[in-house]
Amino acid sequence: DVCSDCEDDVVERELVAEKIDSVKRYFLHIKEDGSTKYKRGAGVPLRHQESTLDSFKGNESEKVKEWVKKGSDTLLLHSPTAGNGKTHLAVSALFEWVLSREAVILKNSANWKASRGNFGKFEVSGMAKAPTAKFCTFVDVMNEIKATFNNKDTDEMSVVKKYTKYDILVLDDIGTEKSSEYSLSMLYQIVNTRYNEMLPTIYTSNLTSTEMKEIYGARMVSRIASGDIIEVVGKDRRIG
């Protein structure tokens, strides 16, 4: 009847309002209290769990902020030498991108709908999920793939698929791993799928374009370098 419909409308508005508030609280927690925990959960190594754009000394941080504003595409952080802060910037870019998703999620909140689901319980539809993020090296990916070889419960393609699904992915220090035809085919599937799906992927490397092509081939490098390329300059920060 009319009264029950009115009651449903009230419940729907209240539930959507609660979801909006929960999104705000989730991102506020990540930003103010849980940043280290979030980064740790994403695989960021201990040394870089406190890394932020504000703590980076160099103009490259402003270029990273511009990349974050775009919301998608690839980012290649390159330096011909080690210790320039590429990993610091990669971690910071990952975290800033995650925080930027709050505005994207809430922008669509007008389209969120609450309706009765199973057993009469109200459920909200149209609401984007919290972003998933992962930091790793390609060696980490290959070790995870190799661990499936003698595991009947999973296989290598399930690992590849997982890395193609993260909302944002950092592949740190590409080119330092020992490559084989098999490992390159696994990496290509991850790189190509993320490129086609326009999922933000951050790469760091000390290799020149020529060196990268010698290892990965022109097809893969064209995808890795298809977005923004930021040259990270300066002395080795590890040795002062």
Side-chain angles (χ1 to χ4, degrees), residues 2-240:
V2 176
C3 290
S4 63
D5 288 342
C6 292
E7 290 176 358
D8 283 359
D9 288 343
V10 171
V11 172
E12 178 179 343
R13 288 195 298 271
E14 290 178 347
L15 186 55
V16 170
E18 288 177 6
K19 289 296 183 181
I20 291 174
D21 184 60
S22 69
V23 169
K24 292 179 179 179
R25 285 188 282 107
Y26 173 79
F27 282 98
L28 182 63
H29 170 69
I30 291 178
K31 185 175 183 180
E32 294 189 349
D33 304 313
S35 62
T36 299
K37 183 178 180 180
Y38 185 90
K39 291 175 184 175
R40 183 167 61 247
V44 174
L46 179 61
R47 184 174 297 278
H48 289 286
Q49 287 173 13
E50 299 292 338
S51 295
T52 65
L53 288 180
D54 289 339
S55 65
F56 184 84
K57 296 179 180 179
N59 296 328
E60 295 87 348
S61 60
E62 294 302 316
K63 297 178 181 178
V64 169
K65 290 178 183 178
E66 290 301 313
W67 176 82
V68 170
K69 289 179 182 178
K70 295 180 181 180
S72 65
D73 220 337
T74 61
L75 172 63
L76 173 59
L77 297 166
H78 174 264
S79 175
T81 56
N84 298 97
K86 295 183 299 299
T87 300
H88 182 135
L89 282 171
V91 170
S92 302
L94 176 149
F95 191 60
E96 288 296 320
W97 184 91
V98 167
L99 292 179
S100 74
R101 295 304 92 187
E102 177 183 5
V104 174
I105 292 173
L106 292 179
K107 182 179 180 180
N108 296 319
S109 61
N111 297 321
W112 297 357
K113 301 294 182 183
S115 57
R116 291 188 184 276
N118 296 331
F119 308 107
K121 182 180 179 181
F122 273 90
E123 299 173 350
V124 175
S125 61
M127 178 180 172
K129 61 182 178 66
T132 56
K134 182 66 176 178
F135 176 100
C136 62
T137 65
F138 185 48
V139 173
D140 295 329
V141 178
M142 285 309 302
N143 286 340
E144 193 171 342
I145 288 174
K146 291 175 182 177
T148 70
F149 291 169
N150 297 314
N151 187 339
K152 63 181 181 180
D153 296 323
T154 187
D155 58 32
E156 65 258 41
M157 291 314 300
S158 64
V159 176
V160 170
K161 184 177 181 180
K162 181 177 72 172
Y163 283 92
T164 64
K165 295 296 183 182
Y166 285 113
D167 293 317
I168 184 168
L169 173 68
V170 173
L171 281 170
D172 194 35
D173 260 348
I174 61 171
T176 58
E177 73 282 349
K178 185 178 181 180
S179 299
S180 66
E181 185 176 343
Y182 175 78
S183 66
L184 289 176
S185 70
M186 295 293 103
L187 178 59
Y188 180 78
Q189 290 184 68
I190 294 171
V191 171
N192 187 54
T193 300
R194 296 188 64 83
Y195 170 80
N196 287 335
E197 297 300 320
M198 299 180 68
L199 291 170
T201 310
I202 302 168
Y203 305 92
T204 74
S205 182
N206 294 127
L207 301 180
T208 65
S209 175
T210 300
E211 290 170 335
M212 289 179 67
K213 288 177 181 177
E214 289 175 353
I215 296 174
Y216 300 117
R219 290 174 64 203
M220 196 186 310
V221 173
S222 71
R223 288 157 173 78
I224 291 173
S226 62
D228 289 8
I229 301 175
I230 298 176
E231 293 292 334
V232 186
V233 299
K235 62 181 182 180
D236 191 333
R237 298 163 190 257
R238 298 189 186 113
I239 58 176

